[in-house]
Amino acid sequence: MKVTKLVIGILMIVLSLFIFFESMAAGFVNTVENKGNTSGSAGVIMAIGFLATGIVYIVTRKKNGLGGDIANAIILGLFGIVGLANSDKVYQDLLVWIILGFIIGFGFLIWHIIANKISSNSSIKHQSQVNNYSSNQGSNSMPTRAQYRQRRNHK
C-alpha cells in the first residue's frame, strides 16, 4: 500500500502539470472566442486539486489511518463538482480528469477501508488464538499436539 500511494502521488503531480498546461490552452481559446466559457479556469482548479492530492498521498504513504484517503476523496470530490459545474464544449478532456479523480479518490478510500477491516479481523482472530493457547495451558507447561501444530502453522 505504501508503494502504491507513492506511485499514485507522483502520477497525480505529473498529471496536474499536464492538466494545468492543457487548461491554460483551453483558457486561451476561451479568451479568443469571447463567448464566456469557463472550462479553462475549471481545468486549472482541477489541476490544483490533483496537485494537492498527489502531495497528500506522498506525505501519508506510511500511515495506516484513513485520514489522508478521506481528505483526498473530499478534495477530488469537491474539485470535481466544481469542474463539472463549469465544464463546457471547449475543453472536453476536463470530464476525463474529473472521472479519473473520482475513481482515484473514492477508489482508494474504499480499498483502504476494506483492507483495514480485513487486517483488523485477522489480528482479532490471531489474538483469540493466542488467548486460547494461554488459557488452555493450565498447570501443564507443555502445549498439546494440536496447539503445537496450530502455532507452527500460523508462523
Side-chain angles (χ1 to χ4, degrees):
M1 207 178 298
K2 294 176 185 178
V3 175
T4 307
K5 279 187 170 183
L6 178 65
V7 170
I8 292 295
I10 292 169
L11 286 175
M12 295 286 284
I13 292 172
V14 171
L15 276 175
S16 73
L17 294 173
F18 181 74
I19 294 168
F20 179 76
F21 288 118
E22 195 175 35
S23 301
M24 296 304 279
F28 179 73
V29 171
N30 289 341
T31 304
V32 170
E33 287 183 351
N34 199 16
K35 293 183 182 177
N37 295 335
T38 59
S39 60
S41 302
V44 170
I45 291 171
M46 197 67 199
I48 292 169
F50 268 59
L51 180 66
T53 55
I55 292 169
V56 171
Y57 275 134
I58 290 172
V59 169
T60 62
R61 72 181 181 274
K62 294 182 181 179
K63 306 250 189 280
N64 289 331
L66 294 173
D69 297 318
I70 292 170
N72 283 340
I74 290 171
I75 290 170
L76 288 173
L78 289 176
F79 280 62
I81 290 170
V82 168
L84 280 174
N86 293 319
S87 66
D88 52 27
K89 294 181 181 178
V90 173
Y91 183 33
Q92 289 293 316
D93 291 351
L94 182 60
L95 294 175
V96 173
W97 303 125
I98 292 169
I99 292 169
L100 182 66
F102 284 151
I103 291 171
I104 290 173
F106 293 106
F108 261 100
L109 180 62
I110 292 168
W111 178 38
H112 289 148
I113 288 172
I114 292 170
N116 284 350
K117 281 189 178 187
I118 291 171
S119 175
S120 67
N121 287 343
S122 65
S123 66
I124 290 171
K125 186 176 182 181
H126 178 69
Q127 185 63 30
S128 68
Q129 289 173 348
V130 168
N131 288 343
N132 286 341
Y133 170 72
S134 62
S135 65
N136 287 340
Q137 274 189 334
S139 62
N140 190 2
S141 63
M142 297 295 290
T144 64
R145 284 186 201 161
Q147 290 171 337
Y148 178 75
R149 280 189 220 127
Q150 188 178 25
R151 249 186 32 205
R152 186 178 65 189
N153 289 337
H154 285 289
K155 288 184 179 179

